[in-house]
Amino acid sequence: MAIDEKLQTIRHSCAHVMAQAVRRLYPGTKIAIGPAIDNGFYYDFDFPEDVKFSETDFAAVEKEMRKILAGNFDFIRKEVSKEEALKLFADEPYKVELINDLEDGSVITTYQQDDYLDLCRGPHVANTKEINAQGFKLAKVAGAYWRGDSNNKTLTRVYAYCFAKPNDLKDYLNMLAEAEKRDHRKLGTELDLFHLDPDDPGQIFWHPNGWQMYVTLQDYIREKIVKDGYVEVNTPAVMPKVLWERSGHWAHYQKNMFTTESEKKQFAIKPMNCPGHLEIFNSRSRSYKDLPMRIAEFGHCVRNEPSGTLHGIMRVRGFVQDDAHIICTEEQIESEVEKFCKLLIDVYKDFGFDKNLLVKLSTMPEDHVGDLATWERAEKALGDACNAAGMQYEIQPGEGAFYGPKLEFTLIDALGRQWQCGTIQLDYQLPSAERLNAQYIGADNQKHHPVMLHRAVLGSLERFMGILIENYSGALPTWLHFEQAAVVPVGNDFNEYAQKVCDKVRAAGIRVHAYTSDDNMKSKIKSISTEHRTPYILVVGENEQKEETVTCRFRFSSGIQQRTFKVDEFISYVREKIDSHYNGI
């Protein structure tokens, strides 16, 4: 999605207005940086020791900002020398540090509105009247290390939302409120899906309900890839340092790896599966007739992510990807990418994510390996394959990996939020002689190095589960839900019939439970509806027992109130929904 440059300019300008307001209200505050970000902006401040800035101060700052905006001040740009800049910002240590980092002779720009001067590259709006006084709202306060370095001082970061129109801000705040209701951490507790232990950050304890859905999701993907010609493997969780050195990960990724030692040898817990897959490829002689070789693994990987970046099951240390690597010839790249794109569309359709899919082609970065001709050929192959699969894409210049270009697939959820999940990356380096030296015998009877496509449809299964939980507000499609049906007798006299129905439905492969406790029917139904979000509640009483039927109450999201089925008729109805992976109920 293209960046709205005008809106980003408004946000950046509003950040300067906030900094001016803060300086007026809290004299002696030192200012650091204040960029525009998605949905708003932030500014980092170093408040005087006697100021304990918090969200209770937001109203005063917003009031002062609106007073500034009412002045209709121009944003005045000025170019200054490094020496002039150092004099202008002599009392601002963070600005001075930024200026000193610039080369001598650099052209430095400042912007001033009213009596507030800031060091900034811009651009900014022409006048404060272009910022809507009702289009922003201060959001939260957080700590942030100066320049992201934990050795530096912790500053106070003030976040704000900012939009061109008040209604846009209102819509965004409503979305945030709905997102809070759908928070997967909250629903994970309500539905008894998982828990997170603060003493074991980034690791998930899956409960029976959550694990049932997780396994169902994994089995679904397994079925899809087997039909698409993949072979599944399993590689060790712990592999030796020498392998990671050869792959290049030890030099470039070690800080994110958990390491261990045994018998004076160093090992790493694998953060990704690709070196292991090439080890399998290299375990025997391969011919061009063996290619493409599509190797899949649901391998548990661990990455030493900073604890501050972790977020529920969306960002974790321990995870499993629907990971696979396609080892092929260069001539097979385009057809394999097209095949993958079609698989991805097919999968996303089953979750209702195929309508507004965003695709980006990331091209050669400045820091890259390989010659320009190879890069151009690879980028064209990815783009042509994407088009052949019926998908349009936009270019992300310079955002490819150092070893090759990639396609990134971003889905849009029910709240309009974007989630980058699928990816396919083209790698000339890992199979090369300089790395893991994968080889095959070509039709010319000579040895050649294959190329490798790293790909995932869902990405991390844990993260995708979190996305699904929030997208469906816990009421997941029938085929994926941990409890697909619940049988509730109207009274204890019908417990036996309820259990009989339950047994017959379960024998048909439907996840069902009979609620035959002493609680009354209404409390059972309320509990099942709120704590389980069960798609089908089957109420049975005297009439149902006599007619061998069930009265089915449909989950609140369906819009259907209830319907009476013969038991076999209900089973056929639900099995069709499950077998077709219908994303409703």
Side-chain angles (χ1 to χ4, degrees):
M1 187 174 290
I3 295 174
D4 187 332
E5 293 183 1
K6 175 64 175 176
L7 180 54
Q8 290 300 87
T9 301
I10 290 172
R11 287 167 174 164
H12 193 187
S13 304
C14 197
H16 280 222
V17 173
M18 183 178 75
Q20 180 181 3
V22 167
R23 284 279 296 275
R24 281 187 178 179
L25 295 172
Y26 307 97
T29 298
K30 304 302 179 185
I31 55 176
I33 57 172
I37 57 175
D38 288 346
N39 305 310
F41 59 86
Y42 70 77
Y43 218 115
D44 290 343
F45 300 103
D46 186 359
F47 286 98
E49 289 187 7
D50 61 337
V51 174
K52 306 300 180 186
F53 190 86
S54 69
E55 294 184 9
T56 59
D57 299 297
F58 283 0
V61 174
E62 290 176 350
K63 182 178 179 181
E64 191 65 26
M65 290 173 68
R66 293 187 175 99
K67 188 186 299 183
I68 294 167
L69 294 178
N72 293 341
F73 299 110
D74 290 335
F75 280 84
I76 302 171
R77 181 182 184 273
K78 185 178 179 181
E79 293 184 0
V80 298
S81 67
K82 186 173 182 179
E83 292 71 24
E84 288 177 290
L86 288 170
K87 290 178 182 178
L88 288 170
F89 295 97
D91 293 332
E92 293 290 347
Y94 302 103
K95 301 295 184 183
V96 168
E97 184 176 328
L98 293 174
I99 295 167
N100 281 327
D101 284 348
L102 299 173
E103 294 181 5
D104 291 340
S106 298
V107 176
I108 299 172
T109 56
T110 65
Y111 280 84
Q112 181 168 347
Q113 82 272 5
D114 189 22
D115 60 354
Y116 178 76
L117 180 71
D118 207 340
L119 178 76
C120 186
R121 287 177 300 191
H124 287 282
V125 296
N127 188 283
T128 57
K129 65 185 177 183
E130 296 181 50
I131 304 170
N132 194 297
Q134 304 303 319
F136 67 87
K137 180 179 177 60
L138 271 60
K140 65 177 180 178
V141 176
Y145 295 120
W146 167 235
R147 308 190 88 167
D149 188 339
S150 60
N151 294 315
N152 290 337
K153 186 171 183 178
T154 301
L155 305 179
T156 301
R157 177 168 293 179
V158 182
Y159 287 92
Y161 307 124
C162 183
F163 292 86
K165 301 175 183 177
N167 281 345
D168 292 342
L169 174 63
K170 182 180 178 181
D171 290 344
Y172 183 71
L173 294 176
N174 287 339
M175 185 278 290
L176 290 180
E178 181 61 28
E180 186 175 356
K181 294 177 188 175
R182 295 170 178 243
D183 190 309
H184 72 279
R185 295 165 297 180
K186 174 175 173 285
L187 291 173
T189 299
E190 289 179 6
L191 299 174
D192 194 22
L193 303 180
F194 59 83
H195 81 269
L196 304 161
D197 187 340
D199 291 327
D200 193 9
Q203 305 288 350
I204 305 169
F205 292 79
W206 288 102
H207 299 188
N209 291 346
W211 189 245
Q212 176 63 71
M213 295 197 298
Y214 188 99
V215 170
T216 302
L217 179 64
Q218 189 178 80
D219 287 346
Y220 162 80
I221 288 292
R222 178 175 281 117
E223 180 183 345
K224 289 285 188 182
I225 64 175
V226 167
K227 289 179 180 178
D228 216 41
Y230 289 79
V231 292
E232 188 175 341
V233 302
N234 188 267
T235 59
V238 179
M239 291 190 278
K241 174 185 175 182
V242 290
L243 176 62
W244 300 109
E245 286 178 325
R246 286 162 50 213
S247 72
H249 291 96
W250 198 264
H252 298 286
Y253 202 76
Q254 186 183 352
K255 67 178 181 179
N256 295 105
M257 298 167 72
F258 285 98
T259 59
T260 186
E261 187 175 308
S262 176
E263 298 178 345
K264 298 182 180 180
K265 291 183 180 179
Q266 284 188 285
F267 298 82
I269 304 173
K270 67 176 178 183
M272 64 270 298
N273 300 308
C274 31
H277 292 183
L278 278 178
E279 284 286 280
I280 291 174
F281 183 85
N282 290 339
S283 66
R284 55 176 291 182
S285 176
R286 305 289 179 182
S287 162
Y288 71 97
K289 296 179 181 179
D290 298 322
L291 304 182
M293 187 172 178
R294 306 181 189 99
I295 304 175
E297 179 175 9
F298 295 100
H300 191 267
C301 297
V302 181
R303 296 179 185 174
N304 190 13
E305 303 283 1
S307 59
T309 67
L310 303 177
H311 176 67
I313 66 174
M314 298 281 208
R315 182 77 179 266
V316 293
R317 288 179 173 171
F319 61 94
V320 174
Q321 292 177 303
D322 65 319
D323 194 21
H325 297 90
I326 302 168
I327 302 171
C328 62
T329 67
E330 193 167 357
E331 293 73 25
Q332 293 169 331
I333 290 172
E334 188 171 333
S335 61
E336 285 302 304
V337 172
E338 180 184 354
K339 184 178 179 66
F340 168 77
C341 289
K342 289 179 178 178
L343 170 66
L344 180 138
I345 293 170
D346 184 45
V347 169
Y348 283 7
K349 187 182 296 182
D350 286 338
F351 298 100
F353 290 141
D354 58 315
K355 299 295 187 295
N356 298 307
L357 191 62
L358 305 177
V359 188
K360 297 179 181 179
L361 171 56
S362 298
T363 59
M364 185 178 73
E366 287 187 20
D367 179 20
H368 67 274
V369 293
D371 60 86
L372 180 60
T374 301
W375 272 87
E376 289 177 344
R377 195 162 61 249
E379 289 168 5
K380 184 178 186 303
L382 290 184
D384 289 349
C386 195
N387 288 331
M391 305 168 78
Q392 295 182 330
Y393 62 88
E394 62 181 67
I395 300 290
Q396 286 194 128
E399 293 297 317
F402 74 90
Y403 51 76
K406 59 183 176 179
L407 288 170
E408 295 179 341
F409 304 87
T410 299
L411 55 84
I412 300 175
D413 72 6
L415 298 183
R417 298 174 299 179
Q418 296 183 15
W419 304 94
Q420 194 272 306
C421 294
T423 184
I424 185 162
Q425 305 174 356
L426 179 54
D427 185 358
Y428 285 91
Q429 302 308 310
L430 205 59
S432 69
E434 293 74 24
R435 292 300 179 192
L436 296 184
N437 196 28
Q439 298 180 352
Y440 68 93
I441 305 300
D444 58 1
N445 209 34
Q446 299 297 310
K447 291 182 178 180
H448 301 272
H449 294 292
V451 294
M452 178 183 248
L453 294 166
H454 306 248
R455 85 345 144 257
V457 177
L458 307 181
S460 155
L461 297 187
E462 288 75 7
R463 180 170 177 264
F464 199 79
M465 279 296 303
I467 293 169
L468 290 176
I469 291 166
E470 295 193 1
N471 181 70
Y472 290 103
S473 195
L476 275 74
T478 300
W479 69 271
L480 188 55
H481 207 70
F482 61 87
E483 182 177 80
Q484 295 163 329
V487 187
V488 180
V490 298
N492 289 343
D493 290 346
F494 306 100
N495 283 353
E496 185 177 341
Y497 179 65
Q499 190 60 56
K500 179 182 175 182
V501 169
C502 181
D503 291 343
K504 188 170 185 178
V505 172
R506 183 180 292 122
I510 297 169
R511 294 189 285 274
V512 62
H513 179 72
Y515 288 79
T516 55
S517 69
D518 290 335
D519 294 336
N520 65 58
M521 182 186 73
K522 286 186 176 180
S523 65
K524 290 177 185 177
I525 291 175
K526 181 179 179 181
S527 174
I528 295 164
S529 299
T530 58
E531 296 176 14
H532 286 183
R533 311 284 209 280
T534 304
Y536 308 103
I537 300 177
L538 309 179
V539 179
V540 295
E542 184 175 354
N543 288 339
E544 288 79 14
Q545 181 172 274
K546 186 184 302 181
E547 302 293 332
E548 294 190 342
T549 60
V550 293
T551 297
C552 178
R553 297 192 178 194
F554 293 80
R555 188 165 58 193
F556 53 84
S557 62
S558 69
I560 306 171
Q561 293 302 312
Q562 66 181 41
R563 175 178 164 186
T564 299
F565 291 92
K566 289 286 189 180
V567 177
D568 287 339
E569 185 185 9
F570 171 76
I571 289 171
S572 297
Y573 177 87
V574 177
R575 281 263 36 118
E576 190 277 328
K577 303 295 184 187
I578 295 171
D579 296 340
S580 65
H581 300 112
Y582 176 60
N583 59 50
I585 64 165

